Amino acid sequence: MERVMQVLRGLRKRLLFYYLVITLLMGITSLYSYYSARTIISGFSAIFADYLYLNDLYSDVSSLETNVEKYLATRSSEAILEYYNLSSRLQEKSAKLAGERGYDKNSLMLKDIGNMIQSLLDEADAAVNAKRGRISSQYLAHFTESHKVAGYIKQYINELLYNKLQEGSQKYDVIRGNMNVISFINIFIILGSMGLNVFLAVYFTYKMTGPIIELSSSAERISSGDFDVDPVLIETDDEVRVLAEAFNKMAVSIKNYIDKIKGQAEMEKRLQEQEMQNLMMKNLLKDARLKFLQSQINPHFLFNTLNAASQLALMEGAEKTAVFIEKVANLFRYNLKRLDRPVTLRDEIEHVRTYLYILKTRFGDKVQFTLDIDESLLELEVPSTIVQPLVENAFIHGIEGLERNGRIDIKVKKQSDYIAVVIEDDGQGMEESAIRSILNSEVTEDRIERHVSGIGLHNVINRMMLFYNVNRVSDVIEIYSRKNSGTRVILKIPLAKGGKNA
């Protein structure tokens, strides 16, 4: 047994040495190729970054001009909303450009563009305000002036693009020359590594497998029932020779005890088959557990990635973006909580605040929110994720489809025998038949799939009834609505003896 272990250790050392050499060569080749590719990509990125920035700036100025003109002509709410978004974006760019520190020609032109953008925004705002005040002579004059300033900005941007094109052409020539050299070196390294790998593979394969093939041939004859094999003679002075000597002794022992082994082999075969079945069952169980874990990893990866993006945005000075990403990560983190574990009403309200922040960031003045919360009621335990789906439902089915702006009011107050969480909107409203279908659990799949948490009204109602051990839907929720006049949903948190907050 000790000799066999020595043989195995010797073979293992050889194999490890071979694989380490191959891995090292492949690693060096891969790292060099990766470094070369990164160098080339960074060079091209530097060329295109300025082009993209200037093109985006040109596009924003054109879009601003178009939306101002559209609003002045039609008083379109969509145009004015897009105008304010573009105005905010250009305001930030203007401040950044005006603070440009360089004093070369391009930097000075960028400063001028920043100042002209501010002038453009002032004239555009004046035109919009005059339009709202119905002072036609003023808004036409301001619009004409803003159009003239936009023309100067575009002219400066085109000139900058031409300058950047000239600089980019020179950089491209340098990068192309470097790329040719790098490509030649990469080809040389790859071909050299392939040749050396092939040589090492052939050498170690024949050196290690030659004696083993002879041993395997004798072993194959024994396995087929021919025990009259000649002793295997190995001339090498290494561990394989020890293995050959042990093999010869084994052949003799097998021949002497063949009859006894046949009976034992049959029994052993049955045991091995049973073990194989058990192993297959264990592997299936491990695979099922792995898939279950994988199904939980992706959401964690998502909000961990969002947290990393938030930190990166803070490092780069984009504080609003960082806060927005952090709120989205918090929303996903809260939604990953197990639904069978209760939370406090305070947790639910904070979750709603996070969701409202995201809605406000995405849709601006499209929807307004008011919160009237009795802080003394927020320490009660409630099922997880029951309030946010109702607020989201109010926005999706009440406010989102409106051409006008909407409002959602959220209140938490105490009634005689329950805590009322009221979500009220002034949106599209519902027919009485739709309310009955909701309260009777007749909810279609598409109404659920649109929720960010995947939890719809039906799910909230069922979990509330189970959590508080009640049999009537009216004990946990009430819905009042009129078509085109809004909807009022009252979520009831029981305080009676049967409830969990008793």
Side-chain angles (χ1 to χ4, degrees):
M1 187 66 181
E2 182 62 28
R3 288 187 176 184
V4 173
M5 293 302 296
Q6 291 178 357
V7 172
L8 293 175
R9 282 194 290 267
L11 291 175
R12 183 169 57 191
K13 289 179 180 178
R14 291 188 183 183
L15 290 173
L16 285 173
F17 174 75
Y18 166 70
Y19 287 122
L20 285 174
V21 171
I22 297 300
T23 302
L24 182 61
L25 289 173
M26 294 179 66
I28 292 174
T29 303
S30 300
L31 288 174
Y32 183 79
S33 299
Y34 173 77
Y35 175 78
S36 302
R38 292 291 298 175
T39 302
I40 294 171
I41 291 172
S42 62
F44 281 111
S45 297
I47 294 175
F48 293 121
D50 291 337
Y51 295 163
L52 293 175
Y53 181 81
L54 291 173
N55 281 328
D56 287 344
L57 187 60
Y58 190 99
S59 176
D60 287 346
V61 170
S62 297
S63 297
L64 180 80
E65 191 177 8
T66 300
N67 280 284
V68 170
E69 183 177 2
K70 184 177 179 181
Y71 175 75
L72 295 179
T74 64
R75 296 181 64 89
S76 168
S77 60
E78 180 181 354
I80 193 62
L81 181 61
E82 182 63 17
Y83 162 74
Y84 283 131
N85 289 334
L86 289 168
S87 177
S88 176
R89 194 185 312 164
L90 285 172
Q91 191 74 40
E92 294 177 359
K93 292 182 178 179
S94 173
K96 183 177 179 182
L97 292 173
E100 187 74 24
R101 294 185 178 182
Y103 294 96
D104 55 276
K105 181 179 178 181
N106 290 343
S107 297
L108 292 175
M109 290 181 70
L110 285 172
K111 289 182 180 180
D112 291 340
I113 290 174
N115 293 328
M116 286 190 290
I117 289 175
Q118 187 59 53
S119 298
L120 171 63
L121 294 176
D122 292 340
E123 291 297 329
D125 283 339
V128 170
N129 292 332
K131 178 64 177 179
R132 287 180 169 177
R134 302 184 183 275
I135 309 174
S136 59
S137 59
Q138 290 188 17
Y139 78 68
L140 288 174
H142 288 299
F143 174 73
T144 302
E145 185 63 25
S146 69
H147 181 70
K148 185 186 300 183
V149 174
Y152 291 143
I153 293 173
K154 293 177 182 178
Q155 182 180 349
Y156 269 58
I157 291 175
N158 286 330
E159 186 174 347
L160 273 175
L161 283 172
Y162 177 78
N163 294 339
K164 294 295 182 180
L165 181 61
Q166 296 297 321
E167 295 175 5
S169 177
Q170 296 174 1
K171 290 182 180 179
Y172 175 76
D173 291 336
V174 174
I175 292 174
R176 185 175 61 180
N178 293 337
M179 190 165 57
N180 291 334
V181 175
I182 291 172
S183 299
F184 177 79
I185 295 175
N186 277 340
I187 292 173
F188 176 79
I189 292 176
I190 291 171
L191 291 177
S193 298
M194 289 175 60
L196 185 58
N197 284 342
V198 171
F199 171 77
L200 291 175
V202 173
Y203 175 79
F204 281 108
T205 298
Y206 277 93
K207 185 174 180 61
M208 288 190 297
T209 59
I212 295 175
I213 289 174
E214 188 174 353
L215 281 172
S216 65
S217 177
S218 298
E220 187 176 358
R221 289 179 59 188
I222 291 177
S223 65
S224 63
D226 183 9
F227 298 101
D228 295 325
V229 295
D230 296 328
V232 178
L233 301 177
I234 303 298
E235 297 179 354
T236 59
D237 189 15
D238 55 13
E239 295 84 1
V240 179
R241 182 176 179 179
V242 177
L243 181 61
E245 293 175 355
F247 176 83
N248 293 332
K249 291 181 180 179
M250 180 190 68
V252 173
S253 297
I254 290 175
K255 187 176 181 180
N256 293 335
Y257 296 101
I258 188 61
D259 292 336
K260 182 178 180 181
I261 291 176
K262 283 183 178 180
Q264 293 176 347
E266 187 66 28
M267 181 65 68
E268 189 173 332
K269 182 179 179 180
R270 295 195 192 99
L271 293 174
Q272 287 178 347
E273 290 176 353
Q274 185 64 39
E275 288 177 0
M276 286 297 295
Q277 291 179 355
N278 293 338
L279 182 60
M280 289 175 64
M281 293 295 294
K282 290 180 180 180
N283 287 337
L284 289 173
L285 180 60
K286 287 181 179 179
D287 184 65
R289 290 175 177 172
L290 177 61
K291 289 179 179 177
F292 174 76
L293 290 175
Q294 288 173 339
S295 69
Q296 300 181 52
I297 289 172
N298 290 335
H300 285 287
F301 175 79
L302 176 58
F303 69 70
N304 286 336
T305 302
L306 288 173
N307 284 335
S310 175
Q311 295 174 10
L312 181 60
L314 278 175
M315 293 171 62
E316 294 179 349
E319 295 181 1
K320 291 183 179 179
T321 303
V323 172
F324 181 77
I325 294 173
E326 183 180 2
K327 294 293 185 182
V328 175
N330 291 338
L331 188 73
F332 280 106
R333 182 180 287 106
Y334 192 91
N335 287 337
L336 284 175
K337 290 184 177 180
R338 291 182 56 182
L339 296 180
D340 58 348
R341 292 180 179 175
V343 298
T344 64
L345 185 55
R346 184 179 303 278
D347 294 335
E348 284 292 288
I349 296 301
E350 288 303 315
H351 183 48
V352 168
R353 292 182 193 272
T354 300
Y355 177 70
L356 295 182
Y357 176 87
I358 294 172
L359 280 186
K360 192 67 177 174
T361 303
R362 289 183 58 197
F363 298 99
D365 294 333
K366 173 68 177 177
V367 59
Q368 299 294 327
F369 303 96
T370 63
L371 285 86
D372 183 9
I373 309 297
D374 187 345
E375 295 289 331
S376 65
L377 306 175
L378 299 184
E379 300 306 322
L380 296 176
E381 283 192 346
V382 296
S384 175
T385 317
I386 59 170
V387 181
Q388 181 269 334
L390 302 185
V391 178
E392 186 174 6
N393 203 65
F395 176 76
I396 292 175
H397 301 293
I399 304 299
E400 190 176 27
L402 295 176
E403 294 184 359
R404 59 176 174 83
N405 294 342
R407 187 193 79 255
I408 297 177
D409 300 324
I410 303 167
K411 300 178 182 178
V412 176
K413 56 187 179 180
K414 186 175 182 180
Q415 301 296 341
S416 58
D417 57 348
Y418 64 91
I419 302 300
V421 180
V422 183
I423 296 95
E424 186 172 4
D425 65 76
D426 63 346
Q428 299 179 24
M430 292 186 292
E431 300 286 354
E432 188 65 26
S433 59
I435 297 176
R436 286 197 301 270
S437 69
I438 293 173
L439 298 180
N440 292 330
S441 302
E442 298 172 5
V443 182
T444 58
E445 287 298 320
D446 62 327
R447 294 174 68 92
I448 295 175
E449 291 175 353
R450 294 184 63 188
H451 284 73
V452 69
S453 62
I455 297 174
L457 226 58
H458 183 199
N459 184 286
V460 171
I461 294 171
N462 284 342
R463 287 190 296 115
M464 288 282 289
M465 293 176 67
L466 290 172
F467 190 83
Y468 294 109
N469 192 26
V470 295
N471 298 319
R472 296 183 304 175
V473 174
S474 60
D475 289 336
V476 295
I477 194 170
E478 291 180 1
I479 302 175
Y480 305 95
S481 182
R482 290 177 57 191
K483 195 65 177 176
N484 300 320
S485 296
T487 301
R488 188 173 188 232
V489 178
I490 303 174
L491 194 66
K492 298 179 177 180
I493 301 175
L495 295 175
K497 188 175 181 180
K500 297 224 175 172
N501 293 310

